[in-house]
Amino acid sequence: MKRKSVFFACALFALAFSANGAMASGRHDAGTAKGQGSSGNATASKKAKAVQDGFVFVEGGTFQMGDNDNKYASPKHLVEVSNFYICDHEVTQKEYLDVIGENPSNKFAKGDDKPVDCVSWYDAVEYCNALSVKKDLTPCYTIDKSKADWGDNPCGVVTCNFSANGYRLPTEAEWEYAARGGKKSKGYKYSGSDNIDCVAWYHDNCYSVEDNELSGAHIVMTKSKNEIDLYDMSGNVWEWCWDKYAEYTPSLKSNPTGASSGYYRVCRGGGSYQPAKYCLVVHRSRLPSDNTKKQFGFRVVRSAQ
């Protein structure tokens, strides 16, 4: 009975958002981005043109990042982010295969339209550059593998040109701002709802009592979207961010890009193996940048020129 109640609640929620029925594979190809701003916002409308289908224009703004009641996300602090574009779905296995030529994903969660996982932070950065080249865009990352070390940079030193027009990973601030719904945020705990079953694949709806096992990642865009039309920002797979991990400080920050040094990179959103608390929009996690654990994937963004 409880499962039926959740199903009908989520169905109504999905109707309210008029869910997108298109599958994700190949959606980095030509098309038009969706604008976040109102129809009267000429600037947002202009900027939303000429970007690939499957991307959302996120109008920048200021928001309270973090949560004083969450030990992993404290203290809450004011952050300002600029306009950017973000893909509405996690990079799929087919998209990754088409660009890199291999699919490293967990064998128990294979599928063209499921998110790629078992990728390191370095793998995600390499994908971004390769996709940029494929689309005749300027890559954002410079990767100096000659400077690899056993400390902060196990596979080389990576720098990011945030002014380049190519693909990149979101900063942690961009990720949380988008997960919260940007300027359209309704203050939900999870990305798009306070009812996690409506918007996320996570432990409780991926665990089979009969088989005594977890089902792994699901096809992208099969749960409801958030306020700015993004899917799976909570659950399915963890998502790599650009930032090196550091504890928050209470001061105002403008377009923060993380710590200048450190062994760990930030991961956000939780995955299908995790309980609900890890899928909160404020929850933070971290992994070594060369780690290829299952359940870790990513989505891409572009700076707004």
Side-chain angles (χ1 to χ4, degrees), residues 33-238:
K34 294 172 276 188
Q36 179 196 339
S38 65
S39 57
N41 189 335
T43 301
S45 176
K46 182 178 180 181
K47 285 199 176 279
K49 293 178 180 178
V51 173
Q52 287 85 342
D53 185 32
F55 278 74
V56 170
F57 173 72
V58 183
E59 185 180 355
T62 303
F63 74 109
Q64 289 285 348
M65 185 172 180
D67 182 357
N68 290 334
D69 295 325
N70 186 313
K71 67 179 181 179
Y72 301 106
S74 178
K76 183 183 288 188
H77 55 290
L78 202 61
V79 171
E80 180 182 43
V81 295
S82 299
N83 299 340
F84 63 99
Y85 300 98
I86 186 168
C87 192
D88 62 6
H89 63 277
E90 295 158 332
V91 173
T92 66
Q93 294 176 35
K94 184 179 188 304
E95 287 170 340
Y96 192 88
L97 178 65
D98 287 348
V99 173
I100 301 298
E102 62 181 30
N103 179 8
S105 298
N106 170 20
K107 66 181 180 180
F108 299 109
K110 292 280 191 182
D112 283 354
D113 292 308
K114 292 181 178 181
V116 68
D117 74 338
C118 299
V119 289
S120 71
W121 180 88
Y122 281 100
D123 292 331
V125 164
E126 296 271 17
Y127 173 89
C128 290
N129 271 3
L131 182 62
S132 298
V133 171
K134 185 176 182 179
K135 300 296 183 183
D136 294 321
L137 299 172
T138 302
C140 294
Y141 298 117
T142 299
I143 306 169
D144 188 346
K145 295 183 180 180
S146 69
K147 294 183 179 179
D149 59 58
W150 292 107
D152 293 355
N153 308 290
C155 296
V157 173
V158 180
T159 55
C160 182
N161 176 6
F162 288 94
S163 297
N165 65 358
Y167 300 92
R168 59 179 176 82
L169 295 176
T171 65
E172 184 178 19
E174 288 172 334
W175 190 96
E176 184 170 322
Y177 182 66
R180 286 175 177 269
K183 285 194 169 182
K184 294 185 177 181
S185 177
K186 296 181 180 178
Y188 294 130
K189 293 188 299 182
Y190 308 104
S191 186
S193 179
D194 285 331
N195 183 342
I196 188 172
D197 286 288
C198 291
V199 293
W201 293 112
Y202 72 114
H203 180 278
D204 288 13
N205 59 22
C206 291
Y207 178 71
S208 168
V209 175
E210 182 179 341
D211 298 328
N212 191 30
E213 65 181 15
L214 288 161
S215 58
H218 285 65
I219 292 173
V220 300
M221 303 172 67
T222 51
K223 289 290 187 178
S224 296
K225 54 191 174 181
N226 78 352
E227 299 94 318
I228 54 172
D229 299 340
L230 304 180
Y231 296 85
D232 301 310
M233 294 292 278
S234 288
N236 218 8
V237 293
W238 290 91

Side-chain angles (χ1 to χ4, degrees), residues 8-20 198 222-225:
F8 286 119
C10 293
L12 290 171
F13 189 88
L15 285 172
F17 276 100
S18 61
N20 186 341
C198 291
T222 51
K223 289 290 187 178
S224 296
K225 54 191 174 181

